[in-house]
Amino acid sequence: MATAHGYDVSIEWTGNLGTGTNDYRAFSRAHEILAQGKDPIAASADPAFRGDPSRWNPEELLVATVAQCHMLWFLHLSANAGVVVVDYTDDAHGVMTMDERGGGGRLTEVTLRPQVTVTEESMIDQANSLHGKIHEVCFIARSVNFPIHHEPEAHVL
């Protein structure tokens, strides 16, 4: 029997500069992402779409979500395989391609660049190979319709 998990978030627009959306340039794209018991996430549109560059945009959050899910599954699979990970960072990169009409686009790929530190040299090959197994189990990777590439590098402490 399948188990379902629910996730509730709220979005609150905070960008009414006094005249609402009476003109495309008359309002801020500022908003907050809220969930009960959590600090708000200050968000906006991408600066290319009149957003605030000091706030997270949806495209960045999607790339971050892909990287987070990958990392969490990697740590899980590493623990199960006896690979002792003591540090993990990822400088992930997403590409959004605009369509020919100029009115929309979509994320077309994400590249993950995990830098993993393990405790023994003998764990490096296995650590690098685990990244290829994550697409089978990562909830987010299984939910998106764009390719996710991996450029992992494992090192010894």
Side-chain angles (χ1 to χ4, degrees), residues 38-108:
K38 295 182 167 94
D39 291 334
I41 298 172
S44 185
D46 182 304
F49 307 108
R50 305 194 51 79
D52 181 342
S54 70
R55 291 175 168 244
W56 288 91
N57 65 58
E59 297 81 10
E60 290 169 325
L61 290 169
L62 181 54
V63 172
T65 299
V66 169
Q68 283 177 280
C69 190
H70 185 92
M71 178 196 69
L72 293 169
W73 272 106
F74 176 80
L75 297 173
H76 174 93
L77 294 176
S78 293
N80 286 352
V83 175
V84 181
V85 176
V86 293
D87 192 46
Y88 184 109
T89 61
D90 187 350
D91 294 320
H93 175 73
V95 175
M96 183 171 69
T97 303
M98 302 303 290
D99 67 20
E100 302 81 40
R101 297 171 299 194
R106 66 181 201 92
L107 235 58
T108 53

Side-chain angles (χ1 to χ4, degrees), residues 8-41:
D8 298 311
V9 298
S10 298
I11 304 297
E12 183 177 312
W13 177 48
T14 58
N16 183 349
L17 302 177
T19 60
T21 60
N22 73 329
D23 181 77
Y24 180 76
R25 300 181 193 299
F27 63 95
S28 167
R29 277 58 176 173
H31 59 280
E32 290 187 342
I33 302 168
L34 308 163
Q36 187 173 1
K38 295 182 167 94
D39 291 334
I41 298 172

